[in-house]
């Protein structure tokens, strides 16, 4: 069998970032972080609501919360607003409390 030969295609500098077209000097593109306010609100919600991992999707434009406490099934909530997500989080927590209370009540009886 012959030896394996690896050939690399000629490429541009890997460290250069920007817009490129043949024959035109590369123009630097500034790094931009999208949706500063929404991401800050998600970070604040993460800090103020223990037991939840809160994210903001810049592509989906949705606030998302994932329960970090033990649950029978994963709990993932999504909403377009922080207020809507908070409401869903409260409802999920109350449902979890009621379900735990019901389970412990039925198992405690002889």
């Amino acid at each position: 069998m012959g030896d394996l030969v690896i050939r690399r295609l000629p490429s541009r500098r890997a460290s250069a970032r920007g817009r490129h077209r043949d024959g035109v000097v590369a123009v630097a593109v500034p790094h931009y972080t999208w949706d500063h306010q929404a991401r800050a609100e998600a970070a604040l919600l993460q800090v103020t609501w223990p037991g939840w991992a809160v994210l903001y999707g810049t592509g989906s434009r949705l606030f998302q919360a994932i329960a970090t406490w033990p649950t029978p099934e994963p709990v993932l909530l999504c909403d377009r607003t922080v207020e809507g997500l908070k409401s869903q989080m409260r409802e999920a927590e109350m449902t979890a409390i009621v379900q735990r209370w019901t389970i412990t009540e039925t198992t405690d009886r002889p």
Side-chain angles (χ1 to χ4, degrees), residues 25 29 36-37 65 77 84 91 95 97:
V25 177
V29 177
H36 297 285
Q37 183 65 31
L77 308 173
E91 185 177 337
T95 302
I97 290 170

Side-chain angles (χ1 to χ4, degrees), residues 5-108:
V5 177
I6 298 175
R7 293 185 185 148
R8 292 190 178 180
L9 297 174
S11 63
R12 297 181 185 183
R13 281 191 347 223
S15 63
R17 289 177 41 190
R19 297 184 181 132
H20 306 281
R21 285 185 288 177
D22 289 337
V24 178
V25 177
V27 177
V29 177
H31 179 70
Y32 185 75
T33 307
W34 298 94
D35 299 328
H36 297 285
Q37 183 65 31
R39 294 175 75 201
E41 289 176 7
L44 180 62
L45 202 59
Q46 165 107 13
V47 171
T48 56
W49 284 71
W52 292 93
V54 181
L55 312 161
Y56 177 75
T58 53
S60 64
R61 303 281 170 106
L62 290 174
F63 291 94
Q64 303 167 357
I66 304 166
T68 58
W69 70 82
T71 59
E73 296 179 359
V75 178
L76 172 64
L77 308 173
C78 300
D79 202 286
R80 293 219 175 267
T81 65
V82 173
E83 292 77 22
L85 187 64
K86 283 181 187 178
S87 174
Q88 288 185 40
M89 290 164 69
R90 271 189 223 100
E91 185 177 337
E93 287 179 349
M94 295 308 290
T95 302
I97 290 170
V98 169
Q99 286 177 349
R100 283 187 205 141
W101 182 75
T102 305
I103 291 169
T104 55
E105 181 182 75
T106 58
T107 56
D108 288 343

